[in-house]
Amino acid sequence: MGRGRVELKRIENKINRQVTFSKRRNGLLKKAYELSVLCDAEVALIIFSSRGKLYEFGSAGTPKTLERYQRCCFTPQDNSIERETQSWYQEVTKLKVKYESLQRTQRHLLGEDLGPLSVKELQNLEKQLEVALAQARQRKTQIMIEQMEDLRKKERQLGDLNKQLKIKLETEGQTYNAIESLWNSNAVAGTSNFSVHSSQTNTMECPPEPVLQIGYHQYISGEGSSTPKGMQGGETNFMQGWVL
């Protein structure tokens, strides 16, 4: 008795659905393998279960087959992007080669990695170094000349400033000397007038200074006068007075 046709719809029973998935998955993988072997075809098979689990088969490797698939299915826009990418890749390659060449030249100029160079290459390198040295010396001389010119310019400016300060100082000195001479003449004239006035005032107005005398005044007896008893004879010179 033959097997009936199965209706294609989602199996509602979870266990039956999982069993059916496992059987048909294995059969599909087996058919893909047989097709690749029997017909020498490049087959890639990718299966994701309802739980997200991955099952795959690739006769030449799944990534390689997918890359080939993308190349075959590119649109014109994708082709332009690919051409631009290839152009950028070639440009990067050229820049990389140029960078390596410049690094090698730099090492040669520094005296490194000179072993692989031939005699002609060494002579060219020597000429390059001589030209570079001459240019460096020329630039050095030019800079030194410019610095000397700047220093001379500053020297002239400082000399002019020094002259101006000297002239200003001489002018102020002459003014100061004139003021000092005028002040000295006025001071001398005032001093002489004050001296004459003081001398005249002392001569005309000041009275004679008093004299302090302590003791008895000298007694001189005259005719018809009587001499005190204690002042007669030898006692006339006793205590005649003290004069300061």
Side-chain angles (χ1 to χ4, degrees):
M1 184 175 179
R3 186 173 57 179
R5 189 173 182 179
V6 179
E7 184 180 1
L8 293 177
K9 67 177 183 179
R10 183 175 182 271
I11 301 174
E12 297 298 334
N13 192 315
K14 185 176 181 181
I15 297 175
N16 294 337
R17 186 170 64 243
Q18 185 64 31
V19 172
T20 303
F21 174 77
S22 299
K23 290 180 178 181
R24 295 206 174 219
R25 180 199 63 200
N26 294 334
L28 186 59
L29 292 173
K30 182 179 179 181
K31 291 295 182 181
Y33 170 73
E34 291 175 353
L35 180 63
S36 64
V37 174
L38 294 175
C39 302
D40 194 17
E42 185 176 349
V43 180
L45 177 62
I46 300 174
I47 302 173
F48 286 97
S49 67
S50 60
R51 297 180 180 180
K53 191 173 182 181
L54 172 64
Y55 302 93
E56 63 176 338
F57 168 78
S59 59
T62 304
K64 184 178 180 181
T65 305
L66 290 176
E67 184 179 357
R68 184 177 178 181
Y69 170 78
Q70 290 176 355
R71 286 198 304 268
C72 295
C73 297
F74 272 158
T75 61
Q77 183 179 359
D78 296 332
N79 290 330
S80 63
I81 294 175
E82 183 181 8
R83 286 194 299 269
E84 186 177 359
T85 304
Q86 291 179 356
S87 176
W88 281 111
Y89 179 76
Q90 293 176 359
E91 186 70 20
V92 169
T93 304
K94 291 179 182 179
L95 291 175
K96 185 177 180 181
V97 173
K98 188 175 181 180
Y99 174 72
E100 292 177 353
S101 177
L102 291 174
Q103 278 190 331
R104 185 168 55 255
T105 303
Q106 183 181 8
R107 289 195 299 269
H108 293 165
L109 292 174
L110 294 175
E112 301 175 357
D113 298 338
L114 299 178
L117 299 180
S118 62
V119 177
K120 187 175 181 179
E121 291 176 344
L122 290 174
Q123 289 177 353
N124 293 332
L125 180 62
E126 184 179 5
K127 290 180 181 179
Q128 291 179 1
L129 292 174
E130 289 177 354
V131 172
L133 182 60
Q135 292 178 354
R137 288 176 177 174
Q138 183 179 2
R139 179 57 182 167
K140 176 184 174 183
T141 304
Q142 182 180 359
I143 293 175
M144 293 178 66
I145 292 174
E146 292 176 354
Q147 291 179 352
M148 290 178 63
E149 290 295 331
D150 293 338
L151 291 175
R152 289 175 181 174
K153 185 177 179 180
K154 291 181 180 179
E155 183 182 4
R156 289 193 296 269
Q157 292 178 353
L158 292 175
D160 295 338
L161 181 61
N162 190 15
K163 290 179 181 179
Q164 294 176 2
L165 292 175
K166 186 176 180 180
I167 294 172
K168 184 177 180 181
L169 183 62
E170 290 177 353
T171 304
E172 291 180 354
Q174 292 176 359
T175 304
Y176 176 74
N177 291 331
I179 294 173
E180 186 178 8
S181 300
L182 181 61
W183 185 80
N184 291 332
S185 61
N186 293 334
V188 170
T191 304
S192 60
N193 293 333
F194 179 75
S195 299
V196 171
H197 181 71
S198 298
S199 59
Q200 292 177 357
T201 304
N202 293 331
T203 305
M204 296 174 63
E205 297 180 0
C206 293
E209 295 181 356
V211 177
L212 177 62
Q213 183 174 358
I214 301 173
Y216 295 101
H217 292 285
Q218 186 177 1
Y219 180 79
I220 301 174
S221 59
E223 293 179 357
S225 62
S226 61
T227 303
K229 183 179 180 179
M231 300 292 294
Q232 293 178 358
E235 295 178 357
T236 58
N237 294 328
F238 178 75
M239 297 294 291
Q240 293 182 356
W242 301 276
V243 180
L244 295 179

